[in-house]
Amino acid sequence: MLDKRFILENAEIVQRNCDNRGVKADVARFVDLESQRRKLQAESEELSRLANEVSKSIGKAKDDAERDARKDEGRRLREMKEKIAEHMERLAAEASLILNSMPNLTHADSPIGGEDASKELRRGKTDVRPFSFPVQDHVALAEQHNLIDFEGGARVAGHGFYFLKNEAAMLELALQQFTMSFLVGEGFTPMITPDLARGDVLKGVGFIPRGPETQIYSVENQDLNLVATAEITLGGLYAGEVIDAEKLPIKLCGVSHCFRTEAGAAGRASRGLYRVHQFTKVEMFAFTTPGQSDDMHNYFRDLECEIFDALGIPYRVLDIATGDLGGPAYRKFDLEAWMPGRGTSGEFGEVTSTSNCTDYQSRRLDIRYKVKGEKGTQLVHTLNGTAVAISRAIIAILENYQQPDGSILIPEALRKWMGKDRIGGQD
């Protein structure tokens, strides 16, 4: 969430930012509510001071009448304070709803507008491949090679679940091994994260754990939720902690299952593995000082590019427009891979993203750092980035590496973990 003092002192800037991001938030109302609450807080503190003085004076009363009068005065002051506290609670509740709806501030270079305003920054090293034969999408290829069982997944868990089989199962493991090894070589600490998190952690990271608009699966009668990404668990790792500045930046890479309700998802773009209820992901996460976060964000973007360049997948990188940013993101880059089987003649589809969330998450989670020899603490900056969303990477590999004879080549970077050069045909 944003800093309350910043909002009070920069209401017009915050309102313009909300408007640019397509978020309905009544900043003026928040300022009014918070100003009233602060005025009442001062009155409450003054009443407490007066009540304490009266309490101390009771023993100095000259007679019973004066003692009773002072007791009555103390009671009156306490009742006034209780009424003020009730009023403050109502003001704070309404103000909190508005505050929680306000998105993070936005990087000056982020394009302003809706999804179509996002700006292409670069293309990958691998060019889009011209096919001299009819292109099949990953669903048809998977059926041909017995790689994915969508019907079995639906029988077991419902639509949007699936079984990976044979080389597809090995491909998922190979992608995990390749990506984790690469990131460990870059100085990341490897993590296997929980698949569940408490509601306060989800709220701190910026996810809505319950309610009609949630994308989160919640455990009934428990304050636990299946995570939609390891960003949630990695982000909550240091909740309530103070980190020594010398330890920053902290770079983590976590493997987790991801669970999403995907409410409202439909259409051909959601066909097969592209939009499912469960998948595996390797996530990058960093805790930094404010001065380190912009460079770390560019670094995360470049790592995602290196991974997909190594896999030989054509892609483009987008600087995401304000209207398409998630609430916690200050700036976001998406990497979209070319998927030849998508649409009528191939389309780009998002496979990774990376966001700089500055201190928006850390303020809610209360994650701070301390510089040795200095008084006080400061909020860390948090950054997240998808290294590989396995299901979508599988789509891109199957479709880009399909051959005229129906076989599928294995990217060279994965062959040592797959133990073979292709799926189908002759190895």
PDB file of all heavy atoms in Angstrom, residues 317-352:
ATOM      1  N   VAL A 317       9.664  -8.416 -25.957  1.00  0.00           N
ATOM      2  CA  VAL A 317       9.560  -7.873 -24.603  1.00  0.00           C
ATOM      3  C   VAL A 317       8.727  -6.605 -24.658  1.00  0.00           C
ATOM      4  O   VAL A 317       8.963  -5.728 -25.495  1.00  0.00           O
ATOM      5  CB  VAL A 317      10.949  -7.559 -24.017  1.00  0.00           C
ATOM      6  CG1 VAL A 317      10.814  -6.931 -22.627  1.00  0.00           C
ATOM      7  CG2 VAL A 317      11.788  -8.827 -23.949  1.00  0.00           C
ATOM      8  N   LEU A 318       7.746  -6.508 -23.764  1.00  0.00           N
ATOM      9  CA  LEU A 318       6.861  -5.357 -23.706  1.00  0.00           C
ATOM     10  C   LEU A 318       7.048  -4.594 -22.399  1.00  0.00           C
ATOM     11  O   LEU A 318       7.208  -5.196 -21.334  1.00  0.00           O
ATOM     12  CB  LEU A 318       5.392  -5.789 -23.817  1.00  0.00           C
ATOM     13  CG  LEU A 318       4.964  -6.549 -25.071  1.00  0.00           C
ATOM     14  CD1 LEU A 318       3.478  -6.891 -24.973  1.00  0.00           C
ATOM     15  CD2 LEU A 318       5.240  -5.744 -26.325  1.00  0.00           C
ATOM     16  N   ASP A 319       7.013  -3.272 -22.509  1.00  0.00           N
ATOM     17  CA  ASP A 319       6.912  -2.395 -21.344  1.00  0.00           C
ATOM     18  C   ASP A 319       5.415  -2.166 -21.148  1.00  0.00           C
ATOM     19  O   ASP A 319       4.765  -1.514 -21.964  1.00  0.00           O
ATOM     20  CB  ASP A 319       7.644  -1.071 -21.629  1.00  0.00           C
ATOM     21  CG  ASP A 319       7.852  -0.225 -20.379  1.00  0.00           C
ATOM     22  OD1 ASP A 319       7.292  -0.569 -19.323  1.00  0.00           O
ATOM     23  OD2 ASP A 319       8.576   0.777 -20.469  1.00  0.00           O
ATOM     24  N   ILE A 320       4.856  -2.707 -20.067  1.00  0.00           N
ATOM     25  CA  ILE A 320       3.402  -2.768 -19.917  1.00  0.00           C
ATOM     26  C   ILE A 320       2.815  -1.409 -19.554  1.00  0.00           C
ATOM     27  O   ILE A 320       3.314  -0.694 -18.691  1.00  0.00           O
ATOM     28  CB  ILE A 320       3.027  -3.824 -18.863  1.00  0.00           C
ATOM     29  CG1 ILE A 320       3.515  -5.201 -19.318  1.00  0.00           C
ATOM     30  CG2 ILE A 320       1.522  -3.852 -18.624  1.00  0.00           C
ATOM     31  CD1 ILE A 320       2.971  -5.648 -20.668  1.00  0.00           C
ATOM     32  N   ALA A 321       1.721  -1.073 -20.233  1.00  0.00           N
ATOM     33  CA  ALA A 321       1.063   0.213 -20.045  1.00  0.00           C
ATOM     34  C   ALA A 321       0.371   0.293 -18.690  1.00  0.00           C
ATOM     35  O   ALA A 321       0.042  -0.723 -18.068  1.00  0.00           O
ATOM     36  CB  ALA A 321       0.047   0.451 -21.166  1.00  0.00           C
ATOM     37  N   THR A 322       0.139   1.526 -18.252  1.00  0.00           N
ATOM     38  CA  THR A 322      -0.397   1.776 -16.916  1.00  0.00           C
ATOM     39  C   THR A 322      -1.722   1.063 -16.661  1.00  0.00           C
ATOM     40  O   THR A 322      -1.963   0.563 -15.568  1.00  0.00           O
ATOM     41  CB  THR A 322      -0.597   3.284 -16.703  1.00  0.00           C
ATOM     42  OG1 THR A 322      -1.432   3.814 -17.756  1.00  0.00           O
ATOM     43  CG2 THR A 322       0.743   4.006 -16.728  1.00  0.00           C
ATOM     44  N   GLY A 323      -2.580   1.016 -17.668  1.00  0.00           N
ATOM     45  CA  GLY A 323      -3.900   0.419 -17.478  1.00  0.00           C
ATOM     46  C   GLY A 323      -3.883  -1.083 -17.359  1.00  0.00           C
ATOM     47  O   GLY A 323      -4.913  -1.683 -17.038  1.00  0.00           O
ATOM     48  N   ASP A 324      -2.733  -1.703 -17.622  1.00  0.00           N
ATOM     49  CA  ASP A 324      -2.628  -3.160 -17.567  1.00  0.00           C
ATOM     50  C   ASP A 324      -1.694  -3.623 -16.450  1.00  0.00           C
ATOM     51  O   ASP A 324      -1.332  -4.795 -16.384  1.00  0.00           O
ATOM     52  CB  ASP A 324      -2.138  -3.689 -18.925  1.00  0.00           C
ATOM     53  CG  ASP A 324      -2.558  -5.135 -19.176  1.00  0.00           C
ATOM     54  OD1 ASP A 324      -3.612  -5.544 -18.671  1.00  0.00           O
ATOM     55  OD2 ASP A 324      -1.817  -5.843 -19.879  1.00  0.00           O
ATOM     56  N   LEU A 325      -1.292  -2.697 -15.577  1.00  0.00           N
ATOM     57  CA  LEU A 325      -0.422  -3.054 -14.456  1.00  0.00           C
ATOM     58  C   LEU A 325      -1.245  -3.591 -13.294  1.00  0.00           C
ATOM     59  O   LEU A 325      -2.326  -3.082 -12.999  1.00  0.00           O
ATOM     60  CB  LEU A 325       0.362  -1.829 -13.973  1.00  0.00           C
ATOM     61  CG  LEU A 325       1.422  -1.247 -14.898  1.00  0.00           C
ATOM     62  CD1 LEU A 325       1.977   0.044 -14.298  1.00  0.00           C
ATOM     63  CD2 LEU A 325       2.554  -2.246 -15.118  1.00  0.00           C
ATOM     64  N   GLY A 326      -0.711  -4.610 -12.612  1.00  0.00           N
ATOM     65  CA  GLY A 326      -1.316  -5.055 -11.372  1.00  0.00           C
ATOM     66  C   GLY A 326      -1.099  -4.014 -10.285  1.00  0.00           C
ATOM     67  O   GLY A 326      -0.170  -3.187 -10.371  1.00  0.00           O
ATOM     68  N   GLY A 327      -1.933  -4.035  -9.265  1.00  0.00           N
ATOM     69  CA  GLY A 327      -1.883  -3.030  -8.212  1.00  0.00           C
ATOM     70  C   GLY A 327      -0.516  -2.796  -7.599  1.00  0.00           C
ATOM     71  O   GLY A 327      -0.089  -1.645  -7.426  1.00  0.00           O
ATOM     72  N   PRO A 328       0.240  -3.846  -7.238  1.00  0.00           N
ATOM     73  CA  PRO A 328       1.531  -3.627  -6.570  1.00  0.00           C
ATOM     74  C   PRO A 328       2.655  -3.153  -7.489  1.00  0.00           C
ATOM     75  O   PRO A 328       3.672  -2.665  -7.009  1.00  0.00           O
ATOM     76  CB  PRO A 328       1.868  -5.017  -6.002  1.00  0.00           C
ATOM     77  CG  PRO A 328       0.576  -5.768  -5.995  1.00  0.00           C
ATOM     78  CD  PRO A 328      -0.166  -5.247  -7.174  1.00  0.00           C
ATOM     79  N   ALA A 329       2.501  -3.301  -8.818  1.00  0.00           N
ATOM     80  CA  ALA A 329       3.615  -3.070  -9.743  1.00  0.00           C
ATOM     81  C   ALA A 329       3.850  -1.587  -9.991  1.00  0.00           C
ATOM     82  O   ALA A 329       2.941  -0.838 -10.349  1.00  0.00           O
ATOM     83  CB  ALA A 329       3.360  -3.782 -11.062  1.00  0.00           C
ATOM     84  N   TYR A 330       5.089  -1.154  -9.834  1.00  0.00           N
ATOM     85  CA  TYR A 330       5.545   0.186 -10.183  1.00  0.00           C
ATOM     86  C   TYR A 330       5.877   0.220 -11.678  1.00  0.00           C
ATOM     87  O   TYR A 330       5.590   1.193 -12.375  1.00  0.00           O
ATOM     88  CB  TYR A 330       6.767   0.498  -9.324  1.00  0.00           C
ATOM     89  CG  TYR A 330       7.550   1.741  -9.649  1.00  0.00           C
ATOM     90  CD1 TYR A 330       6.992   3.005  -9.496  1.00  0.00           C
ATOM     91  CD2 TYR A 330       8.878   1.645 -10.069  1.00  0.00           C
ATOM     92  CE1 TYR A 330       7.737   4.154  -9.764  1.00  0.00           C
ATOM     93  CE2 TYR A 330       9.627   2.784 -10.325  1.00  0.00           C
ATOM     94  CZ  TYR A 330       9.054   4.035 -10.181  1.00  0.00           C
ATOM     95  OH  TYR A 330       9.792   5.166 -10.435  1.00  0.00           O
ATOM     96  N   ARG A 331       6.476  -0.852 -12.146  1.00  0.00           N
ATOM     97  CA  ARG A 331       6.735  -1.042 -13.569  1.00  0.00           C
ATOM     98  C   ARG A 331       6.781  -2.534 -13.845  1.00  0.00           C
ATOM     99  O   ARG A 331       7.181  -3.320 -12.984  1.00  0.00           O
ATOM    100  CB  ARG A 331       8.059  -0.396 -13.977  1.00  0.00           C
ATOM    101  CG  ARG A 331       8.261  -0.281 -15.490  1.00  0.00           C
ATOM    102  CD  ARG A 331       9.598   0.347 -15.838  1.00  0.00           C
ATOM    103  NE  ARG A 331       9.662   0.716 -17.251  1.00  0.00           N
ATOM    104  CZ  ARG A 331      10.744   1.196 -17.843  1.00  0.00           C
ATOM    105  NH1 ARG A 331      11.870   1.390 -17.135  1.00  0.00           N
ATOM    106  NH2 ARG A 331      10.737   1.506 -19.124  1.00  0.00           N
ATOM    107  N   LYS A 332       6.372  -2.912 -15.061  1.00  0.00           N
ATOM    108  CA  LYS A 332       6.296  -4.341 -15.391  1.00  0.00           C
ATOM    109  C   LYS A 332       6.741  -4.555 -16.831  1.00  0.00           C
ATOM    110  O   LYS A 332       6.360  -3.806 -17.733  1.00  0.00           O
ATOM    111  CB  LYS A 332       4.865  -4.845 -15.203  1.00  0.00           C
ATOM    112  CG  LYS A 332       4.656  -6.311 -15.554  1.00  0.00           C
ATOM    113  CD  LYS A 332       3.176  -6.664 -15.438  1.00  0.00           C
ATOM    114  CE  LYS A 332       2.910  -8.090 -15.881  1.00  0.00           C
ATOM    115  NZ  LYS A 332       1.459  -8.382 -15.969  1.00  0.00           N
ATOM    116  N   PHE A 333       7.566  -5.583 -17.024  1.00  0.00           N
ATOM    117  CA  PHE A 333       7.944  -6.044 -18.353  1.00  0.00           C
ATOM    118  C   PHE A 333       7.345  -7.433 -18.574  1.00  0.00           C
ATOM    119  O   PHE A 333       7.421  -8.289 -17.691  1.00  0.00           O
ATOM    120  CB  PHE A 333       9.463  -6.145 -18.502  1.00  0.00           C
ATOM    121  CG  PHE A 333      10.208  -4.859 -18.274  1.00  0.00           C
ATOM    122  CD1 PHE A 333      11.171  -4.770 -17.285  1.00  0.00           C
ATOM    123  CD2 PHE A 333       9.955  -3.739 -19.052  1.00  0.00           C
ATOM    124  CE1 PHE A 333      11.872  -3.602 -17.069  1.00  0.00           C
ATOM    125  CE2 PHE A 333      10.650  -2.552 -18.850  1.00  0.00           C
ATOM    126  CZ  PHE A 333      11.605  -2.483 -17.849  1.00  0.00           C
ATOM    127  N   ASP A 334       6.757  -7.653 -19.725  1.00  0.00           N
ATOM    128  CA  ASP A 334       6.275  -8.980 -20.125  1.00  0.00           C
ATOM    129  C   ASP A 334       7.148  -9.521 -21.239  1.00  0.00           C
ATOM    130  O   ASP A 334       7.580  -8.767 -22.129  1.00  0.00           O
ATOM    131  CB  ASP A 334       4.831  -8.926 -20.636  1.00  0.00           C
ATOM    132  CG  ASP A 334       3.805  -8.946 -19.515  1.00  0.00           C
ATOM    133  OD1 ASP A 334       4.207  -8.955 -18.338  1.00  0.00           O
ATOM    134  OD2 ASP A 334       2.599  -8.927 -19.824  1.00  0.00           O
ATOM    135  N   LEU A 335       7.406 -10.811 -21.199  1.00  0.00           N
ATOM    136  CA  LEU A 335       8.044 -11.510 -22.317  1.00  0.00           C
ATOM    137  C   LEU A 335       6.987 -12.391 -22.953  1.00  0.00           C
ATOM    138  O   LEU A 335       6.396 -13.244 -22.280  1.00  0.00           O
ATOM    139  CB  LEU A 335       9.241 -12.327 -21.826  1.00  0.00           C
ATOM    140  CG  LEU A 335      10.136 -12.963 -22.888  1.00  0.00           C
ATOM    141  CD1 LEU A 335      11.567 -13.123 -22.371  1.00  0.00           C
ATOM    142  CD2 LEU A 335       9.605 -14.339 -23.309  1.00  0.00           C
ATOM    143  N   GLU A 336       6.723 -12.162 -24.232  1.00  0.00           N
ATOM    144  CA  GLU A 336       5.729 -12.936 -24.969  1.00  0.00           C
ATOM    145  C   GLU A 336       6.431 -13.826 -25.990  1.00  0.00           C
ATOM    146  O   GLU A 336       7.187 -13.326 -26.838  1.00  0.00           O
ATOM    147  CB  GLU A 336       4.736 -12.016 -25.684  1.00  0.00           C
ATOM    148  CG  GLU A 336       3.891 -11.186 -24.731  1.00  0.00           C
ATOM    149  CD  GLU A 336       2.824 -10.385 -25.461  1.00  0.00           C
ATOM    150  OE1 GLU A 336       2.974 -10.155 -26.693  1.00  0.00           O
ATOM    151  OE2 GLU A 336       1.844  -9.995 -24.819  1.00  0.00           O
ATOM    152  N   ALA A 337       6.196 -15.124 -25.898  1.00  0.00           N
ATOM    153  CA  ALA A 337       6.808 -16.075 -26.827  1.00  0.00           C
ATOM    154  C   ALA A 337       5.931 -16.252 -28.061  1.00  0.00           C
ATOM    155  O   ALA A 337       4.697 -16.144 -27.991  1.00  0.00           O
ATOM    156  CB  ALA A 337       7.016 -17.420 -26.135  1.00  0.00           C
ATOM    157  N   TRP A 338       6.589 -16.532 -29.174  1.00  0.00           N
ATOM    158  CA  TRP A 338       5.851 -16.815 -30.405  1.00  0.00           C
ATOM    159  C   TRP A 338       5.300 -18.231 -30.323  1.00  0.00           C
ATOM    160  O   TRP A 338       6.018 -19.187 -30.019  1.00  0.00           O
ATOM    161  CB  TRP A 338       6.759 -16.683 -31.616  1.00  0.00           C
ATOM    162  CG  TRP A 338       6.060 -16.967 -32.918  1.00  0.00           C
ATOM    163  CD1 TRP A 338       6.223 -18.046 -33.715  1.00  0.00           C
ATOM    164  CD2 TRP A 338       5.081 -16.138 -33.543  1.00  0.00           C
ATOM    165  NE1 TRP A 338       5.406 -17.963 -34.816  1.00  0.00           N
ATOM    166  CE2 TRP A 338       4.678 -16.797 -34.736  1.00  0.00           C
ATOM    167  CE3 TRP A 338       4.482 -14.920 -33.223  1.00  0.00           C
ATOM    168  CZ2 TRP A 338       3.727 -16.259 -35.600  1.00  0.00           C
ATOM    169  CZ3 TRP A 338       3.530 -14.384 -34.093  1.00  0.00           C
ATOM    170  CH2 TRP A 338       3.171 -15.050 -35.264  1.00  0.00           C
ATOM    171  N   MET A 339       3.997 -18.350 -30.569  1.00  0.00           N
ATOM    172  CA  MET A 339       3.323 -19.644 -30.535  1.00  0.00           C
ATOM    173  C   MET A 339       2.678 -19.877 -31.892  1.00  0.00           C
ATOM    174  O   MET A 339       1.593 -19.351 -32.182  1.00  0.00           O
ATOM    175  CB  MET A 339       2.282 -19.670 -29.406  1.00  0.00           C
ATOM    176  CG  MET A 339       2.905 -19.475 -28.026  1.00  0.00           C
ATOM    177  SD  MET A 339       1.699 -19.470 -26.678  1.00  0.00           S
ATOM    178  CE  MET A 339       2.807 -19.258 -25.261  1.00  0.00           C
ATOM    179  N   PRO A 340       3.324 -20.667 -32.764  1.00  0.00           N
ATOM    180  CA  PRO A 340       2.862 -20.828 -34.143  1.00  0.00           C
ATOM    181  C   PRO A 340       1.465 -21.431 -34.263  1.00  0.00           C
ATOM    182  O   PRO A 340       0.774 -21.197 -35.264  1.00  0.00           O
ATOM    183  CB  PRO A 340       3.909 -21.778 -34.749  1.00  0.00           C
ATOM    184  CG  PRO A 340       5.091 -21.680 -33.863  1.00  0.00           C
ATOM    185  CD  PRO A 340       4.575 -21.385 -32.503  1.00  0.00           C
ATOM    186  N   GLY A 341       1.051 -22.228 -33.273  1.00  0.00           N
ATOM    187  CA  GLY A 341      -0.247 -22.881 -33.356  1.00  0.00           C
ATOM    188  C   GLY A 341      -1.385 -22.049 -32.814  1.00  0.00           C
ATOM    189  O   GLY A 341      -2.539 -22.497 -32.800  1.00  0.00           O
ATOM    190  N   ARG A 342      -1.098 -20.848 -32.372  1.00  0.00           N
ATOM    191  CA  ARG A 342      -2.123 -19.990 -31.782  1.00  0.00           C
ATOM    192  C   ARG A 342      -2.741 -19.094 -32.845  1.00  0.00           C
ATOM    193  O   ARG A 342      -2.039 -18.519 -33.667  1.00  0.00           O
ATOM    194  CB  ARG A 342      -1.483 -19.140 -30.688  1.00  0.00           C
ATOM    195  CG  ARG A 342      -2.461 -18.533 -29.704  1.00  0.00           C
ATOM    196  CD  ARG A 342      -1.706 -17.789 -28.611  1.00  0.00           C
ATOM    197  NE  ARG A 342      -2.606 -17.321 -27.585  1.00  0.00           N
ATOM    198  CZ  ARG A 342      -2.323 -16.348 -26.744  1.00  0.00           C
ATOM    199  NH1 ARG A 342      -1.149 -15.749 -26.802  1.00  0.00           N
ATOM    200  NH2 ARG A 342      -3.185 -15.977 -25.816  1.00  0.00           N
ATOM    201  N   GLY A 343      -4.058 -18.967 -32.839  1.00  0.00           N
ATOM    202  CA  GLY A 343      -4.733 -18.150 -33.841  1.00  0.00           C
ATOM    203  C   GLY A 343      -4.693 -18.801 -35.204  1.00  0.00           C
ATOM    204  O   GLY A 343      -4.491 -20.008 -35.345  1.00  0.00           O
ATOM    205  N   THR A 344      -4.846 -18.000 -36.232  1.00  0.00           N
ATOM    206  CA  THR A 344      -4.879 -18.552 -37.594  1.00  0.00           C
ATOM    207  C   THR A 344      -3.486 -18.732 -38.191  1.00  0.00           C
ATOM    208  O   THR A 344      -3.270 -19.626 -39.012  1.00  0.00           O
ATOM    209  CB  THR A 344      -5.692 -17.617 -38.514  1.00  0.00           C
ATOM    210  OG1 THR A 344      -5.136 -16.294 -38.456  1.00  0.00           O
ATOM    211  CG2 THR A 344      -7.149 -17.567 -38.065  1.00  0.00           C
ATOM    212  N   SER A 345      -2.528 -17.894 -37.784  1.00  0.00           N
ATOM    213  CA  SER A 345      -1.184 -18.015 -38.351  1.00  0.00           C
ATOM    214  C   SER A 345      -0.097 -17.752 -37.317  1.00  0.00           C
ATOM    215  O   SER A 345       1.007 -17.339 -37.663  1.00  0.00           O
ATOM    216  CB  SER A 345      -1.028 -17.023 -39.514  1.00  0.00           C
ATOM    217  OG  SER A 345      -1.305 -15.703 -39.092  1.00  0.00           O
ATOM    218  N   GLY A 346      -0.419 -17.988 -36.052  1.00  0.00           N
ATOM    219  CA  GLY A 346       0.544 -17.794 -34.980  1.00  0.00           C
ATOM    220  C   GLY A 346       0.373 -16.448 -34.295  1.00  0.00           C
ATOM    221  O   GLY A 346       0.001 -15.457 -34.927  1.00  0.00           O
ATOM    222  N   GLU A 347       0.626 -16.428 -32.995  1.00  0.00           N
ATOM    223  CA  GLU A 347       0.519 -15.201 -32.210  1.00  0.00           C
ATOM    224  C   GLU A 347       1.535 -15.240 -31.082  1.00  0.00           C
ATOM    225  O   GLU A 347       2.017 -16.306 -30.686  1.00  0.00           O
ATOM    226  CB  GLU A 347      -0.883 -15.061 -31.587  1.00  0.00           C
ATOM    227  CG  GLU A 347      -2.021 -14.937 -32.566  1.00  0.00           C
ATOM    228  CD  GLU A 347      -3.378 -14.947 -31.855  1.00  0.00           C
ATOM    229  OE1 GLU A 347      -3.394 -15.068 -30.609  1.00  0.00           O
ATOM    230  OE2 GLU A 347      -4.396 -14.827 -32.550  1.00  0.00           O
ATOM    231  N   PHE A 348       1.856 -14.061 -30.555  1.00  0.00           N
ATOM    232  CA  PHE A 348       2.643 -13.989 -29.339  1.00  0.00           C
ATOM    233  C   PHE A 348       1.730 -14.226 -28.135  1.00  0.00           C
ATOM    234  O   PHE A 348       0.585 -13.772 -28.111  1.00  0.00           O
ATOM    235  CB  PHE A 348       3.308 -12.613 -29.197  1.00  0.00           C
ATOM    236  CG  PHE A 348       4.489 -12.405 -30.096  1.00  0.00           C
ATOM    237  CD1 PHE A 348       4.385 -11.627 -31.231  1.00  0.00           C
ATOM    238  CD2 PHE A 348       5.711 -12.998 -29.793  1.00  0.00           C
ATOM    239  CE1 PHE A 348       5.488 -11.426 -32.061  1.00  0.00           C
ATOM    240  CE2 PHE A 348       6.818 -12.812 -30.613  1.00  0.00           C
ATOM    241  CZ  PHE A 348       6.700 -12.020 -31.753  1.00  0.00           C
ATOM    242  N   GLY A 349       2.259 -14.940 -27.144  1.00  0.00           N
ATOM    243  CA  GLY A 349       1.518 -15.184 -25.912  1.00  0.00           C
ATOM    244  C   GLY A 349       2.428 -15.001 -24.708  1.00  0.00           C
ATOM    245  O   GLY A 349       3.595 -15.427 -24.712  1.00  0.00           O
ATOM    246  N   GLU A 350       1.933 -14.364 -23.672  1.00  0.00           N
ATOM    247  CA  GLU A 350       2.746 -14.086 -22.493  1.00  0.00           C
ATOM    248  C   GLU A 350       3.254 -15.377 -21.851  1.00  0.00           C
ATOM    249  O   GLU A 350       2.495 -16.307 -21.616  1.00  0.00           O
ATOM    250  CB  GLU A 350       1.933 -13.307 -21.458  1.00  0.00           C
ATOM    251  CG  GLU A 350       2.714 -12.979 -20.189  1.00  0.00           C
ATOM    252  CD  GLU A 350       1.829 -12.496 -19.048  1.00  0.00           C
ATOM    253  OE1 GLU A 350       0.692 -12.052 -19.316  1.00  0.00           O
ATOM    254  OE2 GLU A 350       2.265 -12.586 -17.892  1.00  0.00           O
ATOM    255  N   VAL A 351       4.551 -15.402 -21.555  1.00  0.00           N
ATOM    256  CA  VAL A 351       5.127 -16.564 -20.873  1.00  0.00           C
ATOM    257  C   VAL A 351       5.860 -16.175 -19.586  1.00  0.00           C
ATOM    258  O   VAL A 351       6.026 -16.994 -18.690  1.00  0.00           O
ATOM    259  CB  VAL A 351       6.092 -17.354 -21.787  1.00  0.00           C
ATOM    260  CG1 VAL A 351       5.316 -18.111 -22.861  1.00  0.00           C
ATOM    261  CG2 VAL A 351       7.141 -16.444 -22.411  1.00  0.00           C
ATOM    262  N   THR A 352       6.340 -14.938 -19.495  1.00  0.00           N
ATOM    263  CA  THR A 352       6.951 -14.475 -18.255  1.00  0.00           C
ATOM    264  C   THR A 352       6.619 -13.002 -18.057  1.00  0.00           C
ATOM    265  O   THR A 352       6.256 -12.288 -18.996  1.00  0.00           O
ATOM    266  CB  THR A 352       8.488 -14.609 -18.233  1.00  0.00           C
ATOM    267  OG1 THR A 352       9.071 -13.551 -18.994  1.00  0.00           O
ATOM    268  CG2 THR A 352       8.944 -15.944 -18.758  1.00  0.00           C
TER     269      THR A 352
END
